[in-house]
Amino acid sequence: MSNLINISEAASLALHGLVFIAKNQPSRINVKVLAEELNASQTHLAKVFQKLGKANLVRSLRGPAGGFELNKPAEDITFLEIYEIIDGEIILGDCPLGKNHCVFKSCIFDNELNRISQDIYETFSKMKLSEFS
Amino acid sequence: MSNLINISEAASLALHGLVFIAKNQPSRINVKVLAEELNASQTHLAKVFQKLGKANLVRSLRGPAGGFELNKPAEDITFLEIYEIIDGEIILGDCPLGKNHCVFKSCIFDNELNRISQDIYETFSKMKLSEFS
DNA sequence: GCTATTTAGGTACTTAAATTCCTAAATAAG
DNA sequence: CTTATTTAGGAATTTAAGTACCTAAATAGC
């Protein structure tokens, strides 16, 4: 079984978790509760949100009554931004598979695959957290 | 750095290798030559073609002058078929991330991501080996 | 037939990514 | 100020993909 769009479990957790937090604004939400709500691994979710915090997408507060909350308006947070923080920067190059060298003089998959890559990129950049909250 | 479309190195080898073979029909091509042509790992390529052979997409002949050749017309081989042999079957379900359970009652990414998944699926099923040979 | 070549297929190794575990640091509440 | 709670961050583990290695089986050419 395979997934056509390349989204890691971590990025999926980030996406779903942030939507949930956006929905529940302005309350702070801690990882334990969020993991229960998302039916997800608490430790993994914690790591993911650590990254989101480092990237200043969310702010965190430790201790009792601590947790995470959005660090900017939901309408200013795109899926592209979230995706790139977790899974790494997207580079839309000549090769849709991200290779530097290819035997074939011009990329044989160029037309089809680059169109799709472009489409995904644009779609991600248009999807805002606010649409779901 | 991240790749938006989920295609493994192995599937990429299969795709490129088969295009090369299709281009050079009706000659048989052996793994050593193919690896040189594709600038790829010979052992990995061998394993990939073993799979393609088992799936009857190519037929093989051992011994000197041996190698691989297409087992059916290039216009009857789609990228979807190749992709699924190597990376596994694609299931276009409700969840674009292939999960069984989701907290959100209806998939919040449904509209956008399923449209893209569908698009990739259809594009792959329309891309035939013969287009490149 | 003998030999060299080439695929088949199992096993083992390597590497990178994903995930979990554990301890430290912060902080709210009593 | 003490305790319980919660995030931070490093280390360790797990998993999956890719790669290498080795022996067996097939076969073409001499």
Side-chain angles (χ1 to χ4, degrees):
Chain A
M1 216 271 291
S2 178
N3 218 355
L4 288 170
I5 308 176
N6 197 22
I7 298 180
S8 70
E9 172 71 18
S12 168
L13 287 179
L15 257 24
H16 284 89
L18 286 171
V19 167
F20 193 91
I21 289 178
K23 269 178 186 287
N24 282 273
Q25 273 179 321
S27 320
R28 233 188 328 255
I29 291 188
N30 71 53
V31 170
K32 195 174 173 214
V33 169
L34 192 57
E36 279 160 8
E37 293 287 358
L38 296 183
N39 215 330
S41 148
Q42 189 177 328
T43 55
H44 198 195
L45 200 59
K47 268 282 178 273
V48 169
F49 268 78
Q50 214 171 301
K51 258 193 179 177
L52 296 174
K54 241 180 169 170
N56 286 313
L57 208 66
V58 294
R59 56 173 169 270
S60 65
L61 187 69
R62 297 183 185 186
F68 293 91
E69 53 195 350
L70 297 187
N71 204 22
K72 55 180 179 177
E75 71 255 28
D76 292 346
I77 301 178
T78 67
F79 276 46
L80 184 67
E81 189 177 0
I82 301 166
Y83 180 92
E84 288 195 315
I85 290 169
I86 305 298
D87 280 354
E89 195 192 351
I90 292 167
I91 296 158
L92 292 177
D94 295 334
C95 172
L97 305 177
K99 299 288 165 52
N100 293 325
H101 305 295
C102 188
V103 227
F104 299 105
K105 281 150 212 79
S106 61
C107 177
I108 52 178
F109 305 139
D110 198 38
N111 288 341
E112 311 286 4
L113 301 194
N114 275 338
R115 173 186 64 76
I116 295 170
S117 292
Q118 195 81 38
D119 182 12
I120 300 176
Y121 188 89
E122 280 166 19
T123 302
F124 277 24
S125 67
K126 278 177 200 148
M127 290 169 83
K128 293 172 197 308
L129 228 45
S130 50
E131 287 174 47
F132 305 96
S133 32
Chain B
M1 216 271 292
S2 179
N3 216 357
L4 288 170
I5 308 176
N6 198 23
I7 298 181
S8 70
E9 172 71 18
S12 168
L13 286 180
L15 257 23
H16 285 89
L18 286 171
V19 167
F20 193 89
I21 289 177
K23 269 177 188 286
N24 282 272
Q25 272 179 321
S27 320
R28 231 186 331 255
I29 292 188
N30 71 53
V31 170
K32 195 176 175 213
V33 168
L34 193 57
E36 279 161 8
E37 292 288 357
L38 296 183
N39 217 328
S41 149
Q42 189 177 327
T43 55
H44 198 196
L45 200 59
K47 275 278 181 272
V48 168
F49 268 78
Q50 217 170 299
K51 259 193 179 176
L52 296 174
K54 239 178 169 169
N56 286 314
L57 208 67
V58 293
R59 57 172 167 270
S60 63
L61 187 70
R62 300 181 183 186
F68 293 92
E69 53 196 350
L70 297 187
N71 204 24
K72 54 180 179 178
E75 70 256 28
D76 292 346
I77 300 178
T78 66
F79 276 46
L80 184 67
E81 190 177 359
I82 301 167
Y83 180 92
E84 288 194 316
I85 289 170
I86 305 297
D87 280 354
E89 196 192 351
I90 291 167
I91 296 158
L92 291 178
D94 295 334
C95 172
L97 304 177
K99 298 288 165 52
N100 292 325
H101 306 294
C102 187
V103 227
F104 300 105
K105 283 154 208 77
S106 61
C107 177
I108 52 178
F109 305 139
D110 199 39
N111 288 342
E112 311 287 3
L113 300 195
N114 274 340
R115 173 186 65 74
I116 294 169
S117 292
Q118 195 82 39
D119 181 13
I120 299 176
Y121 188 90
E122 280 167 19
T123 302
F124 276 25
S125 66
K126 278 178 200 147
M127 290 169 84
K128 294 171 197 307
L129 228 46
S130 49
E131 288 173 45
F132 305 95
S133 31

